[in-house]
Amino acid sequence: MTRVAVPIQLRWGDLDAYGHVNNATMLRLLEEARVRAFWSRGGEGTPDTAVIEADPDAASWTLIARQEIEYLAPMPYTSEPVVVEMWLTKIGGSSIEVGYEILSPDRSQLHARAATVIVFVDRASQRPRRVAERERAAWEPYLGEPVAFRRG
Amino acid sequence: MTRVAVPIQLRWGDLDAYGHVNNATMLRLLEEARVRAFWSRGGEGTPDTAVIEADPDAASWTLIARQEIEYLAPMPYTSEPVVVEMWLTKIGGSSIEVGYEILSPDRSQLHARAATVIVFVDRASQRPRRVAERERAAWEPYLGEPVAFRRG
Amino acid sequence: MTRVAVPIQLRWGDLDAYGHVNNATMLRLLEEARVRAFWSRGGEGTPDTAVIEADPDAASWTLIARQEIEYLAPMPYTSEPVVVEMWLTKIGGSSIEVGYEILSPDRSQLHARAATVIVFVDRASQRPRRVAERERAAWEPYLGEPVAFRRG
Amino acid sequence: MTRVAVPIQLRWGDLDAYGHVNNATMLRLLEEARVRAFWSRGGEGTPDTAVIEADPDAASWTLIARQEIEYLAPMPYTSEPVVVEMWLTKIGGSSIEVGYEILSPDRSQLHARAATVIVFVDRASQRPRRVAERERAAWEPYLGEPVAFRRG
């Protein structure tokens, strides 16, 4: 199983009054990693997919249906980018689940684990649309185990 | 079981390029509802707690350990505040779990369900601290059923 | 000259690592006050205008051309809303300038002064459009003196 | 006169409902560029200064006293980082003014011009403190002309 690793630049403004990257902002970092990983602009090492979530004018939209995140260690501001590793934990009929691990710049510290369920929606009908065979084939190399959440 | 209902003013800037309140921003709304519900500044109808998460100078800190959210209907910008209903789904040894439902201003639409695990940390030792009896007694009226997530 | 006063709910997440409302976030508060003051949804005491800045589907768009802000006193988190007072400092051919004062909830502390130049743009042509006579008439009661910036 | 150029990664979440980088968010980008340029962590090509604005535990704080920004062209999301060029437009007794130009990744498009007045504050006394000779000497190579705002 292949993971996609995306470097994400932190911002000092990501910190909250506790001096760590804010818990809600962590989802913003995941969003950015996801956009960079799945956006079909020919980044190397990324899935060759239809546009996911990045382009509001695309014929196919994505909706975030569910997110789960476990915070393992507070994240300080660093000028070096943190690393978001991503893989697919499920390819459903009209949805996928993305798994994440968020690591310090040198990958020595795991800060959080997370998962996002993305539903594909036809823009005209506003109804879920089937994952295409082309997409399924492109994504299969990235399909791996579920996120190792500590709960349950 | 008593729920706490907190009105939260949306901001037009909460919208993303899809024209709905952004998925990460939804956790920001929950954070604000939580701060307003649990902050011991004598809001009426709110738990009589030690300070939770609002004051970085307090002797006791809180850490967000886990969050889960299901998005049920896209949330548009409204000038009327949305309503965040909160209750406790668990009171643990050194943590609590907060359940949420995020509703449209007139409560006719359920936009999301969510849960947050909060761990109490002693500021000096940076170690989890026990929930005090006083806190447990104050919180029990708010203890209710788990969040009705659709997953498993 | 009439001012419009809009209460804006702060969020704990508006604080940065210094424990005050972040300097960039202050413009977010002004944006929200502006949207609430100028949005033509029949709020009482607000100018009867065409939609300003709130509706991306409107025939007429607005662009922010310039902003200036002086920070006078750090703004702490307060559960009571801060007050943004607004008036017009100029009605131009295809633009207006909005002046602001941002006050503590009880208006005893002036936190910042600011000004925003808004240009009206025809959505089809993407060119500036003239301020209509109807708009000018509706706005004149709000026309007042320039913002009392300390610089030059 | 030397300029400091800092690449800043955009986030899809920086876009607002108009599909462009939000006007308030632009100040967030400037903040990040400033932190990266002035933070004394040995970035190459950056002023050798005392810590500016990045470390809330530093003996010397900075306050943002004033900001001004002119928006020249809407900024779309790009996966390549935008470039923030910075220089000093003034070195005062206890303050400096930073000038900025925000450019597209290939520097072909100027998106905004801006200026920030930063006041240095002694953390113990909470009073402005003098710019040290060492700082003044380190900053002089970066001292240049005022920002070419179009307003008066």
Side-chain angles (χ1 to χ4, degrees), chain B residues 11-12 14 32 39 54 77, chain C residues 11-12 14 32 39 54 77:
Chain B
R11 296 177 185 170
W12 182 81
D14 294 335
E32 186 55 25
W39 204 4
Y77 175 74
Chain C
R11 297 177 184 170
W12 182 82
D14 294 335
E32 186 56 23
W39 204 2
Y77 175 73

Side-chain angles (χ1 to χ4, degrees), chain D residues 29-144:
Chain D
L29 305 181
L30 299 186
E31 175 181 70
E32 186 55 25
R34 208 164 57 227
V35 166
R36 288 171 181 267
F38 288 95
W39 205 1
S40 61
R41 299 256 169 124
E44 58 278 43
T46 64
D48 171 24
T49 73
V51 172
I52 295 190
E53 197 191 25
D55 181 358
D57 294 324
S60 176
W61 266 11
T62 54
L63 286 180
I64 304 300
R66 204 178 86 76
Q67 295 200 86
E68 184 171 356
I69 180 165
E70 269 183 13
Y71 306 93
L72 303 171
M75 183 181 282
Y77 175 74
T78 54
S79 54
E80 291 300 304
V82 297
V83 178
V84 179
E85 292 192 354
M86 277 167 287
W87 69 100
L88 299 181
T89 58
K90 195 174 173 186
I91 303 177
S94 57
S95 68
I96 55 174
E97 189 181 69
V98 181
Y100 314 80
E101 290 187 348
I102 314 174
L103 301 148
S104 59
D106 64 1
R107 302 193 187 203
S108 66
Q109 174 74 56
L110 178 60
H111 286 289
R113 291 191 189 94
T116 302
V117 175
I118 299 174
V119 177
F120 299 94
V121 177
D122 180 76
R123 211 182 166 191
S125 69
Q126 296 281 317
R127 308 275 310 170
R129 63 138 179 106
R130 303 291 300 174
V131 169
E133 276 315 303
R134 189 181 70 80
E135 292 171 323
R136 192 176 300 272
W139 291 336
E140 291 236 313
Y142 301 93
L143 188 58

Side-chain angles (χ1 to χ4, degrees), chain B residues 3 8 10 57 67 87 90-91 101:
Chain B
R3 291 185 174 201
I8 298 291
L10 294 182
D57 293 325
Q67 295 200 87
W87 68 99
K90 195 174 174 186
I91 303 178
E101 290 187 347

Side-chain angles (χ1 to χ4, degrees), chain B residues 7-14 28-29 31-32 35-36 39 53-54 77-79, chain C residues 7-14 28-29 31-32 35-36 39 53-54 77-79:
Chain B
I8 298 291
Q9 212 181 53
L10 294 182
R11 296 177 185 170
W12 182 81
D14 294 335
R28 178 60 50 99
L29 305 182
E31 175 181 70
E32 186 55 25
V35 166
R36 287 170 181 267
W39 204 4
E53 197 191 25
Y77 175 74
T78 54
S79 53
Chain C
I8 298 291
Q9 213 180 52
L10 293 183
R11 297 177 184 170
W12 182 82
D14 294 335
R28 178 60 50 98
L29 305 182
E31 174 181 71
E32 186 56 23
V35 166
R36 287 171 181 268
W39 204 2
E53 198 190 24
Y77 175 73
T78 54
S79 54

Side-chain angles (χ1 to χ4, degrees), chain C residues 50-62 119-129 135, chain D residues 18:
Chain C
V51 171
I52 294 188
E53 198 190 24
D55 180 359
D57 294 323
S60 176
W61 265 10
T62 55
V119 177
F120 299 94
V121 176
D122 180 75
R123 210 181 165 189
S125 68
Q126 297 282 318
R127 309 275 309 171
R129 64 139 178 107
E135 292 171 324
Chain D
Y18 282 178

Side-chain angles (χ1 to χ4, degrees), chain B residues 1 7 11 22 29 36 56 63-64 85 95 105-106 116 132 139 141 150 152:
Chain B
M1 186 265 296
R11 296 177 185 170
N22 180 261
L29 305 182
R36 287 170 181 267
L63 286 181
I64 304 300
E85 293 193 354
S95 68
D106 65 1
T116 302
W139 290 336
R150 290 185 294 192

